Amino acid sequence: VGLLLLVKGADWLVTGASSLASRLGIRPIVIGLTVVAFGTSAPELIVNLFAAFGGSVDIAIGNIIGSNIANILLILGISALVHPLIVKGGTVWKEIPFALLAMVLVWLMANDILIAGGAANILDRIDGFVYMAFFIIFLFYTYGISKTDGKADPVELLTLRKTIFLVSGGLVALILGGKLTVDGAVVIAQFIGITERVIGLTVIAIGTSLPELVTSVVASYRRHADIAIGNVVGSNIFNVFWILGVSAVIRPLPFSAQNSFDTLIAIAATGVLLLAMFIGKRHTLERWQGGAFIFGYVAYLGFVLFT
């Protein structure tokens, strides 16, 4: 029930917020990178807030790392199978590298023992504030895009009353769904004897990524590659710099060796996405590459579940 509320709440929020942004004259690529990305990342945010306040740090970390891996390998993989995704040059040279930087910083800042000779590996409050500062830089960058980006596909305009209803109703559903999801995930982990990390990386990460999946697949089917790619890349940047940043500020997050390994997988997935832009048809994620992404994700899930 929690996951259903998260998905429906995010859907309402994205629809309402996109309409509002379109009314304000914001370009679709910017809506994909900010409004839609933030809306579809809202489940991760709400889940992480409840997890951080409740002390379930493995769920908080696993949710973000797992969602970023699923966003690239699973969601972009499926989207590319639906229709090859033609990626703008700005996304290839700026947004994807920025998403890669986000994951590299997580690994560097969380490995205090290896990098700085610290007493323990932890994402502390200072790390959280640094991530949030990068998030502000990203917002300024997207504002710059709104002034220079070329013509793109329009976003549906709704009545003001319907827009307000969808935004407010979506927020309520997200908050209630987040509480139910975290509580249920902790009980499941305890009942079947698996770690909160595995629950965070699998059930919660995939569940909270469902809005990204629906948004990107539908956008791909409708040939709106701007929204499909911008949604995923923007969500990954939001997940680290905003959601993980806020979570670390609320409660410092101890980082285990398993968390470090998962982060390396997320770095590799983002790096492969960047390389894919120069393999085969330039600046295009082709169907065969999408299939390879999905295969890689299934292999990663098998490793997590059976090791």
Side-chain angles (χ1 to χ4, degrees), residues 81-234:
L81 283 181
V82 172
H83 190 270
L85 300 174
I86 301 173
V87 185
K88 283 180 173 287
T91 301
V92 172
W93 294 109
K94 296 176 182 177
E95 286 112 47
I96 296 176
F98 202 67
L100 180 60
L101 171 66
M103 293 312 311
V104 170
L105 283 177
V106 170
W107 190 86
L108 289 174
M109 296 172 77
N111 281 278
D112 299 290
I113 297 175
L114 177 64
I115 303 299
N121 291 330
I122 189 168
L123 286 175
D124 59 23
R125 288 190 172 93
I126 294 177
D127 296 329
F129 282 120
V130 170
Y131 291 155
M132 292 167 72
F134 271 100
F135 175 72
I136 293 171
I137 293 171
F138 176 66
L139 288 184
F140 274 105
Y141 163 71
T142 53
Y143 176 77
I145 290 179
S146 70
K147 299 298 182 183
T148 60
D149 190 51
K151 184 180 178 182
D153 301 306
V155 175
E156 181 185 5
L157 239 108
L158 306 173
T159 64
L160 185 59
R161 178 180 294 182
K162 187 172 183 180
T163 297
I164 294 172
F165 170 78
L166 289 174
V167 171
S168 57
L171 288 172
V172 171
L174 281 168
I175 292 170
L176 181 58
K179 179 70 167 66
L180 291 174
T181 299
V182 173
D183 290 348
V186 172
V187 171
I188 290 172
Q190 293 171 343
F191 182 75
I192 63 178
I194 62 175
T195 65
E196 290 184 357
R197 165 185 169 260
V198 173
I199 285 289
L201 285 168
T202 55
V203 177
I204 295 182
I206 295 173
T208 56
S209 289
L210 289 177
E212 283 96 336
L213 175 61
V214 173
T215 301
S216 288
V217 169
V218 170
S220 175
Y221 178 75
R222 294 176 179 173
R223 310 296 194 267
H224 296 171
D226 279 355
I227 295 291
I229 289 285
N231 168 48
V232 165
V233 176

Side-chain angles (χ1 to χ4, degrees), residues 50-62:
F50 281 112
F53 278 118
S56 300
V57 294
D58 272 344
I59 287 181
I61 295 172

Side-chain angles (χ1 to χ4, degrees), residues 59-81:
I59 287 181
I61 295 172
N63 175 38
I64 294 303
I65 305 302
S67 290
N68 278 19
I69 295 170
N71 282 350
I72 292 176
L73 297 182
L74 179 64
I75 295 173
L76 282 186
I78 293 174
S79 299
L81 283 181

Side-chain angles (χ1 to χ4, degrees), residues 211-281:
E212 283 96 336
L213 175 61
V214 173
T215 301
S216 288
V217 169
V218 170
S220 175
Y221 178 75
R222 294 176 179 173
R223 310 296 194 267
H224 296 171
D226 279 355
I227 295 291
I229 289 285
N231 168 48
V232 165
V233 176
S235 289
N236 280 17
I237 294 169
F238 270 60
N239 284 349
V240 172
F241 288 143
W242 180 245
I243 300 175
L244 199 59
V246 170
S247 302
V249 168
I250 292 171
R251 181 187 294 271
L253 305 173
F255 221 76
S256 67
Q258 290 88 351
N259 296 143
S260 184
F261 170 77
D262 298 327
T263 304
L264 289 175
I265 296 296
I267 292 172
T270 313
V272 168
L273 173 61
L274 183 59
L275 287 175
M277 298 297 97
F278 304 97
I279 297 175
K281 192 173 181 181

